[in-house]
Amino acid sequence: MTNRRIAVVSAGLAKPSSTRMLADRITTATVERLTEQGIETTVDTFELRDTAIDVTNNLLTGFPSPKLEEVIEKVATADGLIAVTPVFTTSYNGLFKSFFDVIDPQSLNGVPVLIGATAGTPRHSLVLDYALRPLFTYLHAVVVPTGVFAASADWGDSGDRVATLQSRVERAAGEFASLVAASNRSGQVRDPFELDTGFSPTGSYVID
């Protein structure tokens, strides 16, 4: 059976949080889609609140702790990434942004990403397109067309009657699963001593 690995990053601060709930729902739908294609999926889920101090220290020192380094490695080598954040002041929260600030900008090149966000009101739904999508586009990730936004009302009977939360999750999961199925990132052998493509041993000097 074909194997794929998905990394899930949830930036919710509470425990439990609606952000983690949304991440789990998206993950479940994705795994079901991949199973239908005969693909066995390994899921690594990370709540960023558990590495908040490590992320801050990395920003200050430039070096990740062993705990944070393991999370970064799992995210960077996954066949697909599900990234979900709560909305703070109309954008992703600081913990979410800080985590992706400490990742090598080249490490997410070409990785399929499904973005999601949670907030108290539907007025923040555009955060997917004006904040999250540009972030991952800058990192050269492949962001699936459908993102999933969940307001407080989406979790109850008063949710959107036109496109329910679950229907949006299913649509996004289908798009994401297709990209993950075609990925082979987790099976690639990475050289831990490989230098960045922009590295030059002579710095700005040119040897004739």
Side-chain angles (χ1 to χ4, degrees):
M1 177 176 280
T2 304
N3 294 281
R4 292 291 182 267
R5 186 166 57 78
I6 294 172
V8 182
V9 171
S10 170
L13 301 184
K15 199 165 188 175
S17 70
S18 58
T19 303
R20 174 62 189 272
M21 289 169 58
L22 179 59
D24 288 345
R25 186 175 289 199
I26 293 171
T27 301
T28 298
T30 300
V31 171
E32 289 175 351
R33 291 289 180 278
L34 290 169
T35 300
E36 291 171 357
Q37 300 178 51
I39 298 173
E40 184 175 331
T41 311
T42 300
V43 178
D44 295 305
T45 302
F46 304 104
E47 293 205 55
L48 295 186
R49 67 190 301 279
D50 296 332
T51 56
I53 295 176
D54 303 85
V55 169
T56 301
N57 287 338
N58 191 170
L59 288 170
L60 295 174
T61 66
F63 297 97
S65 66
K67 179 180 180 180
L68 179 59
E69 189 172 25
E70 181 181 0
V71 175
I72 292 174
E73 178 69 11
K74 291 286 189 181
V75 169
T77 59
D79 293 301
L81 170 65
I82 295 171
V84 187
T85 178
V87 177
F88 281 21
T89 319
T90 75
S91 188
Y92 35 65
N93 69 6
L95 181 57
F96 185 87
K97 181 59 164 60
S98 294
F99 175 74
F100 288 102
D101 281 341
V102 301
I103 292 181
D104 182 341
Q106 301 301 318
S107 65
L108 297 183
N109 200 353
V111 66
V113 178
L114 196 166
I115 54 175
T118 59
T121 169
R123 290 180 297 174
H124 292 299
S125 60
L126 289 178
V127 70
L128 295 173
D129 291 320
Y130 70 67
L132 274 78
R133 194 175 298 277
L135 170 64
F136 289 106
T137 299
Y138 172 80
L139 295 173
H140 301 290
V142 180
V143 188
V144 301
T146 302
V148 184
F149 177 84
S152 297
D154 286 317
W155 299 103
D157 294 335
S158 59
D160 192 335
R161 302 299 185 187
V162 177
T164 64
L165 175 58
Q166 189 58 35
S167 68
R168 285 176 276 141
V169 166
E170 296 290 346
R171 176 177 176 178
E175 296 169 352
F176 182 57
S178 296
L179 294 176
V180 171
S183 173
N184 66 344
R185 290 172 58 89
S186 64
Q188 295 177 352
V189 177
R190 294 166 60 91
D191 181 356
F193 300 105
E194 182 181 3
L195 297 175
D196 186 271
T197 53
F199 175 80
S200 170
T202 59
S204 59
Y205 296 100
V206 177
I207 299 176
D208 293 324

